Amino acid sequence: QRVLSLELNKDRDVERIHSNGVNTLDIEVVEGRYMLSGGADGVIVIYDLENLSKKPHYTCKSVCTVGRSNQHVHKFSVETVQWYPHDTGMFTSSSFDKTLKVWDTETLIPAEIFSFEGTVYCHHMSPIARKHCLIAVGTKDPKVQLCDLKSGSRIHILQGHRGEVLSVKWSPRYEHILATASTDSQVRVWDVRKASGSLFTLDQHNGEKSKASSEAANTAHNGRVNGLCFTSDGLHLLTTGTDDRMRLWNSASGENTLVNYGKVCNESRKGLKFTLSRGCSPEFVFVPCGSTIVVYALYTGELVTVLRGHYNNVDCCEFHPDLQDLYSGGKDCNILAWVPSPRKPALEDDTEGSNKVSDDYGVHRRYFSFHVKGELQSKFLRLVLVTK
C-alpha cells in the first residue's frame, strides 16, 4: 500500500551539489541512512537521509563530497557508485576515465585504484559474499573483469560476450553466481569458480527457435541489453533492452517467464539504472523512462503508475527497503525523494466506515423492497388466476 501511494515529497529536499546529471545512486544497508551519488561531472557526494532537525520540511544535507578540487576526483563521468555491503567505511566508484576506485569513507582517499584499457560502464560487489571479495567490472572490452579487493589485482576474466558489457550483477542468493549483459544482445550467467565459461545464455524464445543452432546464438533481447536486476530472493532476474522490452527470467533454469510488460521505453546508450522493491507483496519495478519513472507490478507486468517530477531525463533510481521511499536522479541535476502519501486521519476513516454502513443499508433496503414487492405481486396474480 505504501509503494502504491508514492508521491513527490514537497517537504523533503536533497541538497543540490552536482553541476551535471546524476548518473547513479546507492543507499547503504547497514543503517539505511547514507546515500551515495555519482554525477556526469565526475563528482561523488555522500548524503545523510535522516531528518536531524525533526521539522516537517527539511533538506538532506551532503556529509562530504569528492569534488573537482579533490586531487583524486574522477576525470570524467561517474557511472556507478556502491557502498561496501558490510561496512560504511568503504565505497567504490567507476568512471569513463577507465578506472575503478576503492575509497576510504573517512579520508576520501582511494585505498586502491584499478585501471582498465577501455571505458568502464559498470561494476558490482556481491551483497552476501563471505568467501570472496571480488568486484565484477563491465567495460568496453567484451571480457568481464574480476578484481580482488584482498590482493588489489585483477585475478580473472570471463570470456564469452562479443560486445561491450553494460551491466553486471551478483546473485543475492548464491555468492559465486554472476549475471552479465552486453551490446551483443546476450545475458550470460556465470559460476565464477568454474573456468569452463558461462553456465548458460538466456534465450528469449526458450529454445523454440534455436534448437538446431548452438547456444551462442541465444539472445535475451533484439537490441543492446543494458539493464540487469535480481529479485531480492535471487530466484528471478529482470533484464531491459533497447528493443523496448523488459523480461523476467527464472535465474536457476534461465527460462523466460513470458511476463508481458508492454513497451518499456529505453533509449539509453549506457546501462539503465532501474530498481526493484524489496519486502513488498507483490513486488514492483521502477524504470526510468524519459523524464518519468514508470512503476510495474513485477510478476503480472501491469503498469501501476507513472511518477512525474523531473524536468529532464531520469538516469537512475534507488529504493529504500526500510522506509519504502524512492530516490531518483536525473539530467536536471536534481535528486528527488518519493515517499508514501500520509494515511488519512482515523476520523475520516470512521466517516468512510459510516458511509459504507449507510450504503450497505441502502443496498439491503432496495433488495428488501424489490423482493417483497415482487412476492406480493406474484401472490396477487395467483389469486386472480384461481378466481378466474
PDB file of all heavy atoms in Angstrom, residues 97-133:
ATOM      1  N   ASP A  97      36.636   7.481 -17.039  1.00  0.00           N
ATOM      2  CA  ASP A  97      38.087   7.725 -17.101  1.00  0.00           C
ATOM      3  C   ASP A  97      38.887   6.423 -17.027  1.00  0.00           C
ATOM      4  O   ASP A  97      40.096   6.431 -16.799  1.00  0.00           O
ATOM      5  CB  ASP A  97      38.538   8.704 -16.020  1.00  0.00           C
ATOM      6  CG  ASP A  97      38.344   8.162 -14.600  1.00  0.00           C
ATOM      7  OD1 ASP A  97      37.994   6.969 -14.461  1.00  0.00           O
ATOM      8  OD2 ASP A  97      38.520   8.921 -13.639  1.00  0.00           O
ATOM      9  N   LYS A  98      38.167   5.278 -17.204  1.00  0.00           N
ATOM     10  CA  LYS A  98      38.770   3.942 -17.290  1.00  0.00           C
ATOM     11  C   LYS A  98      39.330   3.444 -15.958  1.00  0.00           C
ATOM     12  O   LYS A  98      40.242   2.616 -15.937  1.00  0.00           O
ATOM     13  CB  LYS A  98      39.878   3.907 -18.353  1.00  0.00           C
ATOM     14  CG  LYS A  98      39.419   4.365 -19.729  1.00  0.00           C
ATOM     15  CD  LYS A  98      40.564   4.357 -20.733  1.00  0.00           C
ATOM     16  CE  LYS A  98      40.108   4.875 -22.088  1.00  0.00           C
ATOM     17  NZ  LYS A  98      41.193   4.915 -23.082  1.00  0.00           N
ATOM     18  N   THR A  99      38.786   3.933 -14.860  1.00  0.00           N
ATOM     19  CA  THR A  99      39.254   3.481 -13.546  1.00  0.00           C
ATOM     20  C   THR A  99      38.100   3.032 -12.652  1.00  0.00           C
ATOM     21  O   THR A  99      36.964   3.493 -12.795  1.00  0.00           O
ATOM     22  CB  THR A  99      40.026   4.588 -12.795  1.00  0.00           C
ATOM     23  OG1 THR A  99      39.129   5.680 -12.510  1.00  0.00           O
ATOM     24  CG2 THR A  99      41.218   5.073 -13.591  1.00  0.00           C
ATOM     25  N   LEU A 100      38.442   2.119 -11.744  1.00  0.00           N
ATOM     26  CA  LEU A 100      37.576   1.734 -10.634  1.00  0.00           C
ATOM     27  C   LEU A 100      38.340   2.093  -9.370  1.00  0.00           C
ATOM     28  O   LEU A 100      39.487   1.674  -9.198  1.00  0.00           O
ATOM     29  CB  LEU A 100      37.286   0.225 -10.677  1.00  0.00           C
ATOM     30  CG  LEU A 100      36.738  -0.418  -9.401  1.00  0.00           C
ATOM     31  CD1 LEU A 100      35.321   0.046  -9.108  1.00  0.00           C
ATOM     32  CD2 LEU A 100      36.770  -1.945  -9.502  1.00  0.00           C
ATOM     33  N   LYS A 101      37.712   2.888  -8.492  1.00  0.00           N
ATOM     34  CA  LYS A 101      38.402   3.332  -7.275  1.00  0.00           C
ATOM     35  C   LYS A 101      37.695   2.800  -6.035  1.00  0.00           C
ATOM     36  O   LYS A 101      36.463   2.786  -5.966  1.00  0.00           O
ATOM     37  CB  LYS A 101      38.476   4.861  -7.231  1.00  0.00           C
ATOM     38  CG  LYS A 101      39.300   5.451  -8.377  1.00  0.00           C
ATOM     39  CD  LYS A 101      39.470   6.959  -8.251  1.00  0.00           C
ATOM     40  CE  LYS A 101      40.323   7.507  -9.412  1.00  0.00           C
ATOM     41  NZ  LYS A 101      40.572   8.960  -9.305  1.00  0.00           N
ATOM     42  N   VAL A 102      38.504   2.354  -5.073  1.00  0.00           N
ATOM     43  CA  VAL A 102      38.006   1.890  -3.779  1.00  0.00           C
ATOM     44  C   VAL A 102      38.363   2.965  -2.759  1.00  0.00           C
ATOM     45  O   VAL A 102      39.543   3.238  -2.517  1.00  0.00           O
ATOM     46  CB  VAL A 102      38.646   0.538  -3.392  1.00  0.00           C
ATOM     47  CG1 VAL A 102      38.074   0.041  -2.072  1.00  0.00           C
ATOM     48  CG2 VAL A 102      38.424  -0.492  -4.497  1.00  0.00           C
ATOM     49  N   TRP A 103      37.354   3.588  -2.163  1.00  0.00           N
ATOM     50  CA  TRP A 103      37.563   4.769  -1.321  1.00  0.00           C
ATOM     51  C   TRP A 103      37.472   4.456   0.167  1.00  0.00           C
ATOM     52  O   TRP A 103      36.649   3.646   0.587  1.00  0.00           O
ATOM     53  CB  TRP A 103      36.526   5.834  -1.639  1.00  0.00           C
ATOM     54  CG  TRP A 103      36.531   6.334  -3.049  1.00  0.00           C
ATOM     55  CD1 TRP A 103      35.916   5.758  -4.133  1.00  0.00           C
ATOM     56  CD2 TRP A 103      37.162   7.520  -3.546  1.00  0.00           C
ATOM     57  NE1 TRP A 103      36.131   6.505  -5.258  1.00  0.00           N
ATOM     58  CE2 TRP A 103      36.877   7.598  -4.934  1.00  0.00           C
ATOM     59  CE3 TRP A 103      37.934   8.526  -2.945  1.00  0.00           C
ATOM     60  CZ2 TRP A 103      37.349   8.644  -5.732  1.00  0.00           C
ATOM     61  CZ3 TRP A 103      38.385   9.567  -3.740  1.00  0.00           C
ATOM     62  CH2 TRP A 103      38.106   9.624  -5.116  1.00  0.00           C
ATOM     63  N   ASP A 104      38.296   5.151   0.941  1.00  0.00           N
ATOM     64  CA  ASP A 104      38.154   5.191   2.401  1.00  0.00           C
ATOM     65  C   ASP A 104      37.178   6.324   2.694  1.00  0.00           C
ATOM     66  O   ASP A 104      37.442   7.485   2.379  1.00  0.00           O
ATOM     67  CB  ASP A 104      39.510   5.462   3.046  1.00  0.00           C
ATOM     68  CG  ASP A 104      39.433   5.464   4.566  1.00  0.00           C
ATOM     69  OD1 ASP A 104      38.451   5.996   5.118  1.00  0.00           O
ATOM     70  OD2 ASP A 104      40.361   4.948   5.221  1.00  0.00           O
ATOM     71  N   THR A 105      36.032   6.000   3.292  1.00  0.00           N
ATOM     72  CA  THR A 105      34.985   7.000   3.520  1.00  0.00           C
ATOM     73  C   THR A 105      35.454   8.137   4.421  1.00  0.00           C
ATOM     74  O   THR A 105      35.083   9.295   4.228  1.00  0.00           O
ATOM     75  CB  THR A 105      33.737   6.336   4.144  1.00  0.00           C
ATOM     76  OG1 THR A 105      33.357   5.207   3.343  1.00  0.00           O
ATOM     77  CG2 THR A 105      32.583   7.303   4.222  1.00  0.00           C
ATOM     78  N   GLU A 106      36.277   7.816   5.404  1.00  0.00           N
ATOM     79  CA  GLU A 106      36.702   8.827   6.379  1.00  0.00           C
ATOM     80  C   GLU A 106      37.673   9.842   5.778  1.00  0.00           C
ATOM     81  O   GLU A 106      37.544  11.050   6.001  1.00  0.00           O
ATOM     82  CB  GLU A 106      37.350   8.139   7.583  1.00  0.00           C
ATOM     83  CG  GLU A 106      37.488   9.064   8.791  1.00  0.00           C
ATOM     84  CD  GLU A 106      37.908   8.299  10.036  1.00  0.00           C
ATOM     85  OE1 GLU A 106      37.574   7.099  10.145  1.00  0.00           O
ATOM     86  OE2 GLU A 106      38.571   8.913  10.889  1.00  0.00           O
ATOM     87  N   THR A 107      38.621   9.370   4.988  1.00  0.00           N
ATOM     88  CA  THR A 107      39.649  10.263   4.445  1.00  0.00           C
ATOM     89  C   THR A 107      39.349  10.741   3.026  1.00  0.00           C
ATOM     90  O   THR A 107      39.956  11.710   2.547  1.00  0.00           O
ATOM     91  CB  THR A 107      41.017   9.553   4.432  1.00  0.00           C
ATOM     92  OG1 THR A 107      40.937   8.400   3.567  1.00  0.00           O
ATOM     93  CG2 THR A 107      41.408   9.104   5.834  1.00  0.00           C
ATOM     94  N   LEU A 108      38.411  10.052   2.336  1.00  0.00           N
ATOM     95  CA  LEU A 108      38.090  10.325   0.933  1.00  0.00           C
ATOM     96  C   LEU A 108      39.332  10.238   0.040  1.00  0.00           C
ATOM     97  O   LEU A 108      39.532  11.027  -0.882  1.00  0.00           O
ATOM     98  CB  LEU A 108      37.417  11.696   0.783  1.00  0.00           C
ATOM     99  CG  LEU A 108      36.021  11.830   1.415  1.00  0.00           C
ATOM    100  CD1 LEU A 108      35.434  13.197   1.120  1.00  0.00           C
ATOM    101  CD2 LEU A 108      35.085  10.723   0.911  1.00  0.00           C
ATOM    102  N   ILE A 109      40.167   9.268   0.376  1.00  0.00           N
ATOM    103  CA  ILE A 109      41.363   8.964  -0.426  1.00  0.00           C
ATOM    104  C   ILE A 109      41.224   7.535  -0.930  1.00  0.00           C
ATOM    105  O   ILE A 109      40.853   6.630  -0.157  1.00  0.00           O
ATOM    106  CB  ILE A 109      42.649   9.115   0.419  1.00  0.00           C
ATOM    107  CG1 ILE A 109      42.820  10.574   0.875  1.00  0.00           C
ATOM    108  CG2 ILE A 109      43.868   8.647  -0.362  1.00  0.00           C
ATOM    109  CD1 ILE A 109      43.982  10.777   1.826  1.00  0.00           C
ATOM    110  N   PRO A 110      41.510   7.285  -2.210  1.00  0.00           N
ATOM    111  CA  PRO A 110      41.397   5.911  -2.725  1.00  0.00           C
ATOM    112  C   PRO A 110      42.409   4.978  -2.062  1.00  0.00           C
ATOM    113  O   PRO A 110      43.601   5.257  -2.026  1.00  0.00           O
ATOM    114  CB  PRO A 110      41.717   6.070  -4.220  1.00  0.00           C
ATOM    115  CG  PRO A 110      41.492   7.512  -4.523  1.00  0.00           C
ATOM    116  CD  PRO A 110      41.846   8.255  -3.271  1.00  0.00           C
ATOM    117  N   ALA A 111      41.892   3.868  -1.528  1.00  0.00           N
ATOM    118  CA  ALA A 111      42.770   2.843  -0.963  1.00  0.00           C
ATOM    119  C   ALA A 111      43.313   1.951  -2.068  1.00  0.00           C
ATOM    120  O   ALA A 111      44.366   1.326  -1.911  1.00  0.00           O
ATOM    121  CB  ALA A 111      41.997   2.002   0.050  1.00  0.00           C
ATOM    122  N   GLU A 112      42.598   1.910  -3.187  1.00  0.00           N
ATOM    123  CA  GLU A 112      43.008   1.085  -4.325  1.00  0.00           C
ATOM    124  C   GLU A 112      42.440   1.679  -5.603  1.00  0.00           C
ATOM    125  O   GLU A 112      41.324   2.209  -5.620  1.00  0.00           O
ATOM    126  CB  GLU A 112      42.490  -0.344  -4.145  1.00  0.00           C
ATOM    127  CG  GLU A 112      43.174  -1.376  -5.014  1.00  0.00           C
ATOM    128  CD  GLU A 112      44.616  -1.622  -4.609  1.00  0.00           C
ATOM    129  OE1 GLU A 112      44.856  -2.004  -3.442  1.00  0.00           O
ATOM    130  OE2 GLU A 112      45.498  -1.415  -5.462  1.00  0.00           O
ATOM    131  N   ILE A 113      43.220   1.633  -6.675  1.00  0.00           N
ATOM    132  CA  ILE A 113      42.752   2.090  -7.985  1.00  0.00           C
ATOM    133  C   ILE A 113      43.035   1.001  -9.017  1.00  0.00           C
ATOM    134  O   ILE A 113      44.170   0.563  -9.174  1.00  0.00           O
ATOM    135  CB  ILE A 113      43.435   3.411  -8.420  1.00  0.00           C
ATOM    136  CG1 ILE A 113      43.152   4.527  -7.411  1.00  0.00           C
ATOM    137  CG2 ILE A 113      42.957   3.822  -9.817  1.00  0.00           C
ATOM    138  CD1 ILE A 113      43.872   5.843  -7.732  1.00  0.00           C
ATOM    139  N   PHE A 114      41.990   0.550  -9.693  1.00  0.00           N
ATOM    140  CA  PHE A 114      42.142  -0.427 -10.771  1.00  0.00           C
ATOM    141  C   PHE A 114      41.978   0.313 -12.098  1.00  0.00           C
ATOM    142  O   PHE A 114      40.987   1.025 -12.298  1.00  0.00           O
ATOM    143  CB  PHE A 114      41.071  -1.523 -10.665  1.00  0.00           C
ATOM    144  CG  PHE A 114      41.155  -2.349  -9.411  1.00  0.00           C
ATOM    145  CD1 PHE A 114      40.427  -2.006  -8.278  1.00  0.00           C
ATOM    146  CD2 PHE A 114      41.959  -3.483  -9.357  1.00  0.00           C
ATOM    147  CE1 PHE A 114      40.485  -2.765  -7.124  1.00  0.00           C
ATOM    148  CE2 PHE A 114      42.021  -4.258  -8.207  1.00  0.00           C
ATOM    149  CZ  PHE A 114      41.292  -3.901  -7.089  1.00  0.00           C
ATOM    150  N   SER A 115      42.941   0.157 -12.984  1.00  0.00           N
ATOM    151  CA  SER A 115      42.891   0.826 -14.287  1.00  0.00           C
ATOM    152  C   SER A 115      42.612  -0.188 -15.393  1.00  0.00           C
ATOM    153  O   SER A 115      43.074  -1.326 -15.342  1.00  0.00           O
ATOM    154  CB  SER A 115      44.217   1.539 -14.559  1.00  0.00           C
ATOM    155  OG  SER A 115      44.446   2.550 -13.589  1.00  0.00           O
ATOM    156  N   PHE A 116      41.852   0.271 -16.392  1.00  0.00           N
ATOM    157  CA  PHE A 116      41.457  -0.613 -17.500  1.00  0.00           C
ATOM    158  C   PHE A 116      41.788   0.054 -18.831  1.00  0.00           C
ATOM    159  O   PHE A 116      41.999   1.262 -18.913  1.00  0.00           O
ATOM    160  CB  PHE A 116      39.960  -0.918 -17.409  1.00  0.00           C
ATOM    161  CG  PHE A 116      39.551  -1.559 -16.103  1.00  0.00           C
ATOM    162  CD1 PHE A 116      39.192  -0.775 -15.010  1.00  0.00           C
ATOM    163  CD2 PHE A 116      39.546  -2.930 -15.960  1.00  0.00           C
ATOM    164  CE1 PHE A 116      38.833  -1.347 -13.802  1.00  0.00           C
ATOM    165  CE2 PHE A 116      39.195  -3.522 -14.754  1.00  0.00           C
ATOM    166  CZ  PHE A 116      38.838  -2.735 -13.675  1.00  0.00           C
ATOM    167  N   GLU A 117      41.804  -0.761 -19.869  1.00  0.00           N
ATOM    168  CA  GLU A 117      42.144  -0.238 -21.194  1.00  0.00           C
ATOM    169  C   GLU A 117      40.972   0.483 -21.853  1.00  0.00           C
ATOM    170  O   GLU A 117      41.164   1.375 -22.674  1.00  0.00           O
ATOM    171  CB  GLU A 117      42.618  -1.386 -22.097  1.00  0.00           C
ATOM    172  CG  GLU A 117      43.939  -2.011 -21.640  1.00  0.00           C
ATOM    173  CD  GLU A 117      44.338  -3.197 -22.498  1.00  0.00           C
ATOM    174  OE1 GLU A 117      43.613  -3.479 -23.489  1.00  0.00           O
ATOM    175  OE2 GLU A 117      45.369  -3.827 -22.183  1.00  0.00           O
ATOM    176  N   GLY A 118      39.770   0.084 -21.491  1.00  0.00           N
ATOM    177  CA  GLY A 118      38.584   0.698 -22.106  1.00  0.00           C
ATOM    178  C   GLY A 118      37.707   1.389 -21.085  1.00  0.00           C
ATOM    179  O   GLY A 118      37.910   1.301 -19.871  1.00  0.00           O
ATOM    180  N   THR A 119      36.708   2.092 -21.589  1.00  0.00           N
ATOM    181  CA  THR A 119      35.731   2.784 -20.747  1.00  0.00           C
ATOM    182  C   THR A 119      35.056   1.803 -19.792  1.00  0.00           C
ATOM    183  O   THR A 119      34.687   0.690 -20.179  1.00  0.00           O
ATOM    184  CB  THR A 119      34.645   3.431 -21.646  1.00  0.00           C
ATOM    185  OG1 THR A 119      35.278   4.331 -22.552  1.00  0.00           O
ATOM    186  CG2 THR A 119      33.633   4.188 -20.819  1.00  0.00           C
ATOM    187  N   VAL A 120      34.894   2.213 -18.542  1.00  0.00           N
ATOM    188  CA  VAL A 120      34.218   1.372 -17.549  1.00  0.00           C
ATOM    189  C   VAL A 120      32.746   1.781 -17.474  1.00  0.00           C
ATOM    190  O   VAL A 120      32.428   2.926 -17.174  1.00  0.00           O
ATOM    191  CB  VAL A 120      34.870   1.502 -16.154  1.00  0.00           C
ATOM    192  CG1 VAL A 120      34.155   0.596 -15.157  1.00  0.00           C
ATOM    193  CG2 VAL A 120      36.344   1.143 -16.219  1.00  0.00           C
ATOM    194  N   TYR A 121      31.851   0.838 -17.768  1.00  0.00           N
ATOM    195  CA  TYR A 121      30.420   1.120 -17.753  1.00  0.00           C
ATOM    196  C   TYR A 121      29.753   0.811 -16.415  1.00  0.00           C
ATOM    197  O   TYR A 121      28.765   1.447 -16.044  1.00  0.00           O
ATOM    198  CB  TYR A 121      29.716   0.312 -18.847  1.00  0.00           C
ATOM    199  CG  TYR A 121      30.017   0.774 -20.245  1.00  0.00           C
ATOM    200  CD1 TYR A 121      30.817   0.009 -21.095  1.00  0.00           C
ATOM    201  CD2 TYR A 121      29.511   1.980 -20.736  1.00  0.00           C
ATOM    202  CE1 TYR A 121      31.095   0.418 -22.386  1.00  0.00           C
ATOM    203  CE2 TYR A 121      29.790   2.404 -22.020  1.00  0.00           C
ATOM    204  CZ  TYR A 121      30.587   1.624 -22.845  1.00  0.00           C
ATOM    205  OH  TYR A 121      30.872   2.040 -24.122  1.00  0.00           O
ATOM    206  N   CYS A 122      30.272  -0.200 -15.722  1.00  0.00           N
ATOM    207  CA  CYS A 122      29.583  -0.645 -14.513  1.00  0.00           C
ATOM    208  C   CYS A 122      30.491  -1.520 -13.659  1.00  0.00           C
ATOM    209  O   CYS A 122      31.501  -2.047 -14.140  1.00  0.00           O
ATOM    210  CB  CYS A 122      28.328  -1.448 -14.880  1.00  0.00           C
ATOM    211  SG  CYS A 122      28.705  -2.874 -15.925  1.00  0.00           S
ATOM    212  N   HIS A 123      30.138  -1.667 -12.412  1.00  0.00           N
ATOM    213  CA  HIS A 123      30.794  -2.643 -11.542  1.00  0.00           C
ATOM    214  C   HIS A 123      29.810  -3.047 -10.452  1.00  0.00           C
ATOM    215  O   HIS A 123      28.812  -2.354 -10.221  1.00  0.00           O
ATOM    216  CB  HIS A 123      32.086  -2.078 -10.937  1.00  0.00           C
ATOM    217  CG  HIS A 123      31.856  -1.103  -9.819  1.00  0.00           C
ATOM    218  ND1 HIS A 123      31.691   0.254 -10.026  1.00  0.00           N
ATOM    219  CD2 HIS A 123      31.742  -1.279  -8.477  1.00  0.00           C
ATOM    220  CE1 HIS A 123      31.501   0.874  -8.871  1.00  0.00           C
ATOM    221  NE2 HIS A 123      31.525  -0.042  -7.911  1.00  0.00           N
ATOM    222  N   HIS A 124      30.094  -4.168  -9.783  1.00  0.00           N
ATOM    223  CA  HIS A 124      29.206  -4.608  -8.710  1.00  0.00           C
ATOM    224  C   HIS A 124      29.941  -5.542  -7.760  1.00  0.00           C
ATOM    225  O   HIS A 124      30.731  -6.381  -8.188  1.00  0.00           O
ATOM    226  CB  HIS A 124      27.987  -5.334  -9.282  1.00  0.00           C
ATOM    227  CG  HIS A 124      26.888  -5.549  -8.283  1.00  0.00           C
ATOM    228  ND1 HIS A 124      26.354  -6.791  -8.002  1.00  0.00           N
ATOM    229  CD2 HIS A 124      26.241  -4.670  -7.479  1.00  0.00           C
ATOM    230  CE1 HIS A 124      25.414  -6.658  -7.077  1.00  0.00           C
ATOM    231  NE2 HIS A 124      25.312  -5.393  -6.748  1.00  0.00           N
ATOM    232  N   MET A 125      29.689  -5.357  -6.453  1.00  0.00           N
ATOM    233  CA  MET A 125      30.190  -6.253  -5.402  1.00  0.00           C
ATOM    234  C   MET A 125      29.041  -7.110  -4.905  1.00  0.00           C
ATOM    235  O   MET A 125      27.903  -6.635  -4.801  1.00  0.00           O
ATOM    236  CB  MET A 125      30.748  -5.435  -4.233  1.00  0.00           C
ATOM    237  CG  MET A 125      32.084  -4.808  -4.487  1.00  0.00           C
ATOM    238  SD  MET A 125      32.694  -3.918  -3.013  1.00  0.00           S
ATOM    239  CE  MET A 125      31.653  -2.469  -3.040  1.00  0.00           C
ATOM    240  N   SER A 126      29.324  -8.346  -4.567  1.00  0.00           N
ATOM    241  CA  SER A 126      28.289  -9.237  -4.062  1.00  0.00           C
ATOM    242  C   SER A 126      27.761  -8.737  -2.716  1.00  0.00           C
ATOM    243  O   SER A 126      28.543  -8.409  -1.825  1.00  0.00           O
ATOM    244  CB  SER A 126      28.840 -10.654  -3.895  1.00  0.00           C
ATOM    245  OG  SER A 126      27.898 -11.463  -3.198  1.00  0.00           O
ATOM    246  N   PRO A 127      26.428  -8.683  -2.543  1.00  0.00           N
ATOM    247  CA  PRO A 127      25.867  -8.228  -1.271  1.00  0.00           C
ATOM    248  C   PRO A 127      25.957  -9.265  -0.156  1.00  0.00           C
ATOM    249  O   PRO A 127      25.738  -8.941   1.013  1.00  0.00           O
ATOM    250  CB  PRO A 127      24.402  -7.936  -1.623  1.00  0.00           C
ATOM    251  CG  PRO A 127      24.109  -8.845  -2.777  1.00  0.00           C
ATOM    252  CD  PRO A 127      25.397  -8.962  -3.548  1.00  0.00           C
ATOM    253  N   ILE A 128      26.302 -10.519  -0.502  1.00  0.00           N
ATOM    254  CA  ILE A 128      26.271 -11.593   0.507  1.00  0.00           C
ATOM    255  C   ILE A 128      27.586 -12.344   0.650  1.00  0.00           C
ATOM    256  O   ILE A 128      27.717 -13.184   1.535  1.00  0.00           O
ATOM    257  CB  ILE A 128      25.163 -12.612   0.184  1.00  0.00           C
ATOM    258  CG1 ILE A 128      25.415 -13.249  -1.198  1.00  0.00           C
ATOM    259  CG2 ILE A 128      23.785 -11.977   0.259  1.00  0.00           C
ATOM    260  CD1 ILE A 128      24.624 -14.507  -1.458  1.00  0.00           C
ATOM    261  N   ALA A 129      28.560 -12.074  -0.213  1.00  0.00           N
ATOM    262  CA  ALA A 129      29.781 -12.899  -0.263  1.00  0.00           C
ATOM    263  C   ALA A 129      30.559 -12.880   1.047  1.00  0.00           C
ATOM    264  O   ALA A 129      30.797 -11.824   1.629  1.00  0.00           O
ATOM    265  CB  ALA A 129      30.673 -12.437  -1.402  1.00  0.00           C
ATOM    266  N   ARG A 130      30.960 -14.064   1.499  1.00  0.00           N
ATOM    267  CA  ARG A 130      31.817 -14.213   2.680  1.00  0.00           C
ATOM    268  C   ARG A 130      33.125 -14.919   2.307  1.00  0.00           C
ATOM    269  O   ARG A 130      34.118 -14.802   3.023  1.00  0.00           O
ATOM    270  CB  ARG A 130      31.095 -15.032   3.761  1.00  0.00           C
ATOM    271  CG  ARG A 130      29.832 -14.363   4.299  1.00  0.00           C
ATOM    272  CD  ARG A 130      30.129 -13.146   5.135  1.00  0.00           C
ATOM    273  NE  ARG A 130      28.915 -12.486   5.620  1.00  0.00           N
ATOM    274  CZ  ARG A 130      28.915 -11.386   6.361  1.00  0.00           C
ATOM    275  NH1 ARG A 130      30.065 -10.809   6.680  1.00  0.00           N
ATOM    276  NH2 ARG A 130      27.792 -10.847   6.770  1.00  0.00           N
ATOM    277  N   LYS A 131      33.087 -15.638   1.180  1.00  0.00           N
ATOM    278  CA  LYS A 131      34.260 -16.424   0.784  1.00  0.00           C
ATOM    279  C   LYS A 131      35.106 -15.727  -0.273  1.00  0.00           C
ATOM    280  O   LYS A 131      36.151 -16.231  -0.650  1.00  0.00           O
ATOM    281  CB  LYS A 131      33.810 -17.797   0.284  1.00  0.00           C
ATOM    282  CG  LYS A 131      33.143 -18.641   1.363  1.00  0.00           C
ATOM    283  CD  LYS A 131      32.707 -19.985   0.811  1.00  0.00           C
ATOM    284  CE  LYS A 131      32.035 -20.829   1.901  1.00  0.00           C
ATOM    285  NZ  LYS A 131      31.552 -22.123   1.363  1.00  0.00           N
ATOM    286  N   HIS A 132      34.632 -14.603  -0.800  1.00  0.00           N
ATOM    287  CA  HIS A 132      35.455 -13.862  -1.769  1.00  0.00           C
ATOM    288  C   HIS A 132      35.184 -12.364  -1.652  1.00  0.00           C
ATOM    289  O   HIS A 132      34.159 -11.944  -1.097  1.00  0.00           O
ATOM    290  CB  HIS A 132      35.193 -14.342  -3.202  1.00  0.00           C
ATOM    291  CG  HIS A 132      33.846 -13.973  -3.755  1.00  0.00           C
ATOM    292  ND1 HIS A 132      33.527 -12.700  -4.189  1.00  0.00           N
ATOM    293  CD2 HIS A 132      32.730 -14.718  -3.971  1.00  0.00           C
ATOM    294  CE1 HIS A 132      32.297 -12.675  -4.645  1.00  0.00           C
ATOM    295  NE2 HIS A 132      31.783 -13.890  -4.520  1.00  0.00           N
ATOM    296  N   CYS A 133      36.095 -11.557  -2.152  1.00  0.00           N
ATOM    297  CA  CYS A 133      35.959 -10.096  -2.171  1.00  0.00           C
ATOM    298  C   CYS A 133      36.112  -9.599  -3.608  1.00  0.00           C
ATOM    299  O   CYS A 133      36.903  -8.692  -3.890  1.00  0.00           O
ATOM    300  CB  CYS A 133      37.014  -9.440  -1.281  1.00  0.00           C
ATOM    301  SG  CYS A 133      36.781  -9.721   0.469  1.00  0.00           S
TER     302      CYS A 133
END
